[in-house]
Amino acid sequence: MNDRTITPYGAWPSPITADLIASGSIRLSEVTLRGGDLYWLESRPTEGGRYVVVRRDADGRVEDVAPPDTNARTRVHEYGGASYMVGEGVVFFTDFIDQRLYRQDRGDDPVAITSEPEVPAGLRYADPRLTPDGRTIVCVRERHTATGEVFNEIASFPADGTAEPVVIASGRDFYAFPRVSPDGARVSWVEWDHPNMPWDGAELMVADLAADGTASNARRVAGGPAESIYQPEWSPEGVLHLVSDRTGWWNLYRLEGDDLVPLAPMEAEFGGPAWTLDAGQYAFLSGGRIACIYGQNGIHHLGVVEPGSQGVREVKTPFTAFGSIDGDGGERVAVVAGGPLIPSSVALIDVTSGVVEVVKRSNPTEIDPGYLSPAQPIEFPTTGGKTAHALYYPPKNQDAAAPEGELPPLLVFSHGGPTGQATGALNLSTQFWTSRGLAVVDVNYGGSTGYGREYRERLKDNWGIVDVDDCVNAARYLADQRLVDGGRMAIRGGSAGGYTTLAALTFSDVFAAGASHFGISDLETMTTDTHKFESRYLDGLVGPYPEARDVYLARSPAYHTERLSAPMIIFQGLEDKVVPPSQAEAMVAALDHKGLPYAYLAFEGEQHGFRRAENIRRTLEAELYFYGKVFGFDPADAIEPVEIVNMG
């Protein structure tokens, strides 16, 4: 277009505002399809980030299931997931405040069916499953004692809360995915021990389940210390299915006797890292078919596995990233999914006709495609002659263009996990930057999910090296291609991605600025001052502690602050139990000591990941303001100034 306003990169006016993202967006997850009713979970920033179970009935009426003083969020493994379950005319959910399990019969108020623990929120429940007769619940329970010890187990108890839970599996460090067979005679679950994470190695167990909820004759049927098991499910015919990465890829299997039979062997991922307990990568359809989500080269697909086949029939949809799936045993599946021009949404898909009905969007605002920059998958050379992956988003705004000869600033996104994965679904938080004239590259560095176990294990013993090299090399690649301004490149990330950000700013000189969102600065404290689930995670990423303490210190930005040379903005939740505020405060003190420009924004009431609208808004605007000062552009937005110490 010739009528675009000539404006420097970063200063383009955009309709994708921080307020639109913070107040207009919700997080969608955990779809359930039952008897014509569709359920899902919403996290609402405008309601303090509380999680709400929502139901749309067969007639299209949409309503919240529980009263507004509830928050359906479990803290098992701290990251939670699988906080609710649907039965016949009843919903069960864990409430965030006390972590007790509640029963919500339709038309009635919720009633707690587990006891008040001696330690506040000390008995936590997740992934509840009903026996076929609806009388008994089997679930994951996490017990926190007054001395600080944490015990994980599988427990069962009456669905009406008339008796205390019975522990049916204990003694291992972690448990997940309890599932009851259709005849109620068997129960399965996944278990593993430190130092493994569930994507490193876990075991699938099956036991006999009695009518009183007790279990016996537990035996291992799959998995091991170097084989990851994900989402076991019983088919309607009573055959146990599962996802295993025994071939180097998370593929789908069914159990026949003592053998695992592959259903669709291919170099694709049918599973993912179980950071949360709300697994949902496949669902059973009529006629013995299975609807499944699988990923290849960073793109997700919906497929159907036919009985007796050895492949997947792809169902064409507008979606390229799926987060959850459930079926009603017929032709339809419910999904949470997004595409290049569609934000994360709850949708119904007929797998035979391909008809898609979008039921709920995470953000209802329709954005003109002229402001949207679709992801462009790229591969680039990295250390050791290897190739790494990323998604590149060039600046795009139909109303603005940069002065001739100017190259855009670059933001390198470093995702969390670090086993996470950047996907190409429309994310307005990414478009916030590109529509203002900044380029973005979202790096799937070595260690990311989605490219097989070998790629995932590039990070083994190499966290702080491989991820940093890949982020650095992605930036250099784009600068060498003259797509971005090599003198105005920043890196940003949260949690584990925040560690990569801090390490890149400490151990390389490629970036001119950075933003750490609750990032890890001291690896040692992540073994001594964090929650149980992650307390041995770094054994595989860095080395066993304390034997490898020297390596921990060598890779911790907090111990090498003399090498810092770039301005930084740091964001932190003051109630974060995963990455405590002390991690941020150490970097703030170092920046202040060196006289480097920095800003520090700490938020009361926020935990790991910001959920309140006012804090999401402030974080986006503050980061934009900071980059403007560092890179020399004036944002078009009216932003409350940020105090930048040592800016001069």
Side-chain angles (χ1 to χ4, degrees):
M1 294 177 62
N2 297 321
D3 57 350
R4 290 179 175 175
T5 302
I6 303 301
T7 309
Y9 286 116
W12 295 354
S14 170
I16 305 172
T17 64
D19 186 66
L20 170 66
I21 295 169
S23 300
S25 299
I26 57 177
R27 298 180 186 180
L28 302 170
S29 60
E30 299 189 37
V31 288
T32 302
L33 195 55
R34 292 290 182 273
D37 290 349
L38 173 63
Y39 297 79
W40 64 88
L41 201 60
E42 293 184 6
S43 174
R44 299 174 178 169
T46 56
E47 298 179 24
R50 82 178 184 104
Y51 285 71
V52 183
V53 181
V54 181
R55 175 177 58 239
R56 190 187 80 160
D57 66 22
D59 295 324
R61 292 184 295 266
V62 178
E63 62 179 354
D64 294 351
V65 170
D69 59 347
T70 59
N71 185 353
R73 179 179 163 210
T74 177
R75 288 182 57 193
V76 171
H77 297 175
E78 288 300 334
Y79 292 101
S83 61
Y84 84 98
M85 171 191 63
V86 178
E88 188 67 36
V90 60
V91 172
F92 300 87
F93 66 90
T94 299
D95 189 73
F96 178 73
I97 297 300
D98 60 14
Q99 289 297 291
R100 298 168 74 185
L101 194 66
Y102 284 75
R103 179 184 179 118
Q104 172 93 49
D105 287 280
R106 191 169 294 192
D108 293 339
D109 291 330
V111 176
I113 58 172
T114 59
S115 301
E116 181 75 41
E118 294 182 5
V119 175
L123 292 175
R124 305 175 181 182
Y125 298 87
D127 209 356
R129 298 282 165 159
L130 275 172
T131 53
D133 60 11
R135 298 175 59 185
T136 303
I137 288 175
V138 179
C139 67
V140 177
R141 186 173 74 169
E142 186 173 276
R143 291 188 293 117
H144 293 245
T145 69
T147 60
E149 292 181 288
V150 180
F151 299 94
N152 295 74
E153 54 209 13
I154 301 291
S156 69
F157 51 91
D160 58 6
T162 54
E164 289 296 308
V166 173
V167 176
I168 63 175
S170 63
R172 302 296 295 271
D173 287 329
F174 299 101
Y175 294 86
F177 308 131
R179 301 292 188 267
V180 180
S181 63
D183 61 4
R186 291 166 293 169
V187 60
S188 63
W189 64 84
V190 172
E191 59 184 36
W192 70 96
D193 288 324
H194 279 143
N196 268 356
M197 300 298 281
W199 49 88
D200 296 321
E203 298 176 11
L204 175 59
M205 307 295 291
V206 174
D208 299 327
L209 185 65
D212 62 0
T214 59
S216 61
N217 192 29
R219 60 270 188 197
R220 184 181 69 85
V221 297
E227 178 184 357
S228 174
I229 302 296
Y230 184 84
Q231 193 190 351
E233 300 284 355
W234 299 90
S235 72
E237 296 76 29
V239 178
L240 188 57
H241 290 64
L242 63 138
V243 173
S244 165
D245 72 347
R246 54 175 47 198
T247 65
W249 297 86
W250 271 310
N251 276 195
L252 188 59
Y253 298 82
R254 70 171 180 266
L255 186 66
E256 291 187 0
D258 295 329
D259 298 324
L260 290 187
V261 178
L263 299 183
M266 55 194 297
E267 292 189 352
E269 301 280 46
F270 290 74
W275 281 102
T276 58
L277 295 167
D278 50 320
Q281 293 285 113
Y282 67 93
F284 298 107
L285 303 168
S286 61
R289 297 167 300 155
I290 302 173
C292 55
I293 299 165
Y294 62 99
Q296 291 178 306
N297 298 319
I299 303 298
H300 291 170
H301 307 269
L302 175 65
V304 174
V305 177
E306 304 284 348
S309 72
Q310 283 287 299
V312 177
R313 172 180 64 83
E314 183 178 358
V315 180
K316 296 295 185 181
T317 76
F319 305 121
T320 55
F322 290 81
S324 178
I325 186 171
D326 193 41
D328 60 2
E331 300 297 311
R332 297 187 309 166
V333 292
V335 299
V336 174
L341 300 177
I342 305 174
S344 178
S345 303
V346 173
L348 290 169
I349 303 174
D350 187 302
V351 300
T352 300
S353 67
V355 172
V356 175
E357 178 192 359
V358 175
V359 176
K360 177 85 175 190
R361 291 163 51 109
S362 57
N363 194 305
T365 305
E366 294 284 350
I367 305 295
D368 190 305
Y371 300 103
L372 300 179
S373 178
Q376 301 177 11
I378 63 171
E379 296 182 2
F380 57 91
T382 192
T383 306
K386 297 179 178 179
T387 298
H389 303 269
L391 299 174
Y392 172 58
Y393 300 83
K396 185 177 179 183
N397 186 314
Q398 64 185 11
D399 299 328
E404 185 176 354
E406 183 182 357
L407 292 173
L410 173 69
L411 298 187
V412 175
F413 283 19
S414 174
H415 65 65
T419 55
Q421 179 187 6
T423 67
L426 177 62
N427 185 334
L428 293 184
S429 294
T430 300
Q431 305 298 322
F432 175 86
W433 303 106
T434 56
S435 63
R436 284 168 172 75
L438 289 87
V440 168
V441 62
D442 207 346
V443 183
N444 276 321
Y445 48 78
S448 302
T449 296
Y451 304 90
R453 185 168 185 130
E454 182 180 352
Y455 192 82
R456 195 168 76 240
E457 290 191 341
R458 282 188 187 182
L459 213 56
K460 186 173 176 60
D461 298 327
N462 284 304
W463 194 29
I465 298 176
V466 167
D467 51 321
V468 170
D469 285 352
D470 287 356
C471 287
V472 165
N473 287 324
R476 285 175 171 162
Y477 172 79
L478 293 170
D480 290 345
Q481 300 291 314
R482 299 286 297 165
L483 294 172
V484 302
D485 184 346
R488 294 193 295 170
M489 300 193 298
I491 184 169
R492 68 190 301 275
S495 190
Y499 165 69
T500 300
T501 294
L502 294 172
L505 293 168
T506 303
F507 302 119
S508 79
D509 58 3
V510 169
F511 300 107
S516 171
H517 298 246
F518 37 90
I520 301 162
S521 64
D522 184 350
L523 294 178
E524 185 176 32
T525 62
M526 290 304 294
T527 67
T528 60
D529 187 24
T530 192
H531 57 111
K532 179 185 176 184
F533 183 64
E534 285 188 271
S535 62
R536 298 288 302 278
Y537 184 23
L538 301 195
D539 281 31
L541 295 176
V542 181
Y545 186 87
E547 294 87 344
R549 183 172 184 267
D550 289 348
V551 180
Y552 281 73
L553 301 186
R555 296 190 199 165
S556 293
Y559 291 97
H560 302 278
T561 54
E562 75 281 356
R563 299 178 62 175
L564 284 171
S565 59
M568 197 183 310
I569 186 167
I570 297 176
F571 303 95
Q572 179 67 44
L574 293 179
E575 294 184 17
D576 194 334
K577 304 299 183 184
V578 177
V579 180
S582 59
Q583 298 268 330
E585 292 160 1
M587 295 307 295
V588 169
L591 289 161
D592 195 52
H593 178 73
K594 289 206 68 176
L596 288 170
Y598 74 90
Y600 177 46
L601 282 75
F603 298 103
E604 295 280 355
E606 289 286 13
Q607 298 181 329
H608 197 64
F610 302 154
R611 293 173 173 83
R612 298 182 179 182
E614 63 273 20
N615 298 335
I616 296 171
R617 180 189 309 110
R618 179 58 172 158
T619 298
L620 276 169
E621 291 184 339
E623 193 171 343
L624 175 62
Y625 180 92
F626 182 79
Y627 293 142
K629 294 299 182 184
V630 174
F631 290 151
F633 63 81
D634 294 318
D637 308 69
I639 300 174
E640 178 187 346
V642 177
E643 180 185 1
I644 304 178
V645 181
N646 301 325
M647 193 66 192

